[in-house]
Amino acid sequence: GFLPLQGHIVRNWKVRWFVLLQDKLLYYKIEGGKKEPFPKGRILLDGCTITCPCLEYENRPLLIKLKTKTNTDYFLECCSREERDSWALDITGAIHAGHPVQVQELHRMKNSFKLLENISLHHIVERMYDSSTGIKLTRNLDQGNRYKETFTGSALVDWLISNSFAVSRFEAVTLASMLMDENFIRPVGVRSTEATRSSDPSEKFLDDSTALYMFAESSKKNTSSKEEVHFNISELSGKIVKQGFLVKQGHKRKNWKVRKFVLRADPAFLHYYDPTKEENKPVGGFSLRGCLVSALEDNGVPAGVKGNVQGNLFKIITKNDIHYYIQASSKAERVQWIEAIKPLT
């Protein structure tokens, strides 16, 4: 599948097509809408260590870090927590292929706690922000540094249990860790920050009255640039139905670029992002009301499509008669996207 990868020499991000084998992770360039025949590079998994979640980049909370036995670091970014955990589990399985007990333990840990189906992390954060029933924010002092609008680890655990988001302190810690993994909250102060470096996922968030945390948004400067008004806030407020990497043909130059697509409902919009950029804002999007979506045949190049494309194409025509040509990574993925989009049109 597609994953953004950070370069070693120029520290920019490029989207590559990754293929996981028994002992290595290969990655390929996409040129003209088609995967190149030979890999651009490879990551040898023998002696490799994996860090997931990796919190080294504040603006990229869904990272996986791989360190080879020659101490080369690779940073890979995923679209969602589920995709990240799936990649991490499969890569870890390949690393420990000769140690089935470790792989079984990973599966057990992954399935030990599941978020209730009718609760989203976004909903929890909204409740935390509530002025009357949300978590109480206080000023705190940590080793001479003053922090505004913070809360302690134990206070968050208490709040999650009292609001019925968790039934035990273990579940509340796991849930708080998810909030930190997804960059909704972040550690501040020495104690909580040092805990994030723990190799044990269960020890990254501290159920402690001396460990300080704050909303991640509170640490960012409030900006009101003109670029941000291009997209109405209501467009981006809908529930995320599906997200993933797809290849899109440009409208002017007709070149093909990998974009992160996010499908939202209520209101129904499809937005796309440039995964190589640091800022997490759409580079395009449109309302799905009145749209037509259909698969395109893979035999030959359909009219309107430029380049020697890989296949698995589908087309969306907006009510303003704008045509979007998009490639999925497989026929199955194309079907999934079409079936997810159709009810919202």
Side-chain angles (χ1 to χ4, degrees), residues 119 127 133-135 156-166:
I119 297 176
R127 290 279 300 276
T133 61
I135 192 162
L156 178 54
V157 169
D158 292 340
W159 184 88
L160 290 169
I161 293 173
S162 65
N163 284 271
S164 302
F165 290 117

Side-chain angles (χ1 to χ4, degrees), residues 135-140 147-152 212-213:
I135 192 162
K136 186 178 179 182
L137 302 178
T138 59
R139 295 186 178 190
N140 283 283
Y147 298 99
K148 297 179 180 179
E149 298 184 327
T150 61
F151 47 87
T152 67
L212 301 181
Y213 299 88

Side-chain angles (χ1 to χ4, degrees), residues 138-242:
T138 59
R139 295 186 178 190
N140 283 283
L141 186 68
D142 184 89
Q143 296 197 1
N145 295 316
R146 293 184 181 277
Y147 298 99
K148 297 179 180 179
E149 298 184 327
T150 61
F151 47 87
T152 67
S154 57
L156 178 54
V157 169
D158 292 340
W159 184 88
L160 290 169
I161 293 173
S162 65
N163 284 271
S164 302
F165 290 117
V167 296
S168 68
R169 300 195 79 81
F170 170 77
E171 285 191 3
V173 167
T174 306
L175 194 49
S177 299
M178 290 180 182
L179 292 170
M180 192 165 63
D181 290 350
E182 302 304 315
N183 207 33
F184 288 116
I185 65 173
R186 73 177 190 92
V188 289
V190 175
R191 185 113 197 278
S192 57
T193 303
E194 286 183 348
T196 62
R197 301 188 181 99
S198 171
S199 59
D200 187 343
S202 65
E203 296 177 0
K204 290 182 183 294
F205 180 88
L206 299 178
D207 179 8
D208 194 290
S209 60
T210 63
L212 301 181
Y213 299 88
M214 70 189 306
F215 290 113
E217 290 298 320
S218 303
S219 63
K220 298 175 183 176
K221 294 180 180 178
N222 293 323
T223 59
S224 56
S225 69
K226 292 182 180 178
E227 294 181 9
E228 292 177 353
V229 300
H230 289 174
F231 292 95
N232 193 308
I233 291 296
S234 64
E235 290 185 27
L236 305 172
S237 64
K239 178 184 176 183
I240 294 178
V241 176
K242 186 174 178 60

Side-chain angles (χ1 to χ4, degrees), residues 67-81:
K67 182 185 283 289
T68 67
K69 66 179 180 181
T70 58
N71 289 323
T72 303
D73 291 339
Y74 292 88
F75 293 93
L76 289 66
E77 186 178 33
C78 299
C79 254
S80 64
R81 184 180 183 276

Side-chain angles (χ1 to χ4, degrees), residues 24-27 39-44 74:
K24 64 178 76 73
L25 191 57
L26 303 178
Y27 52 93
K40 173 73 174 176
R42 62 179 184 171
I43 304 172
L44 298 178
Y74 292 88

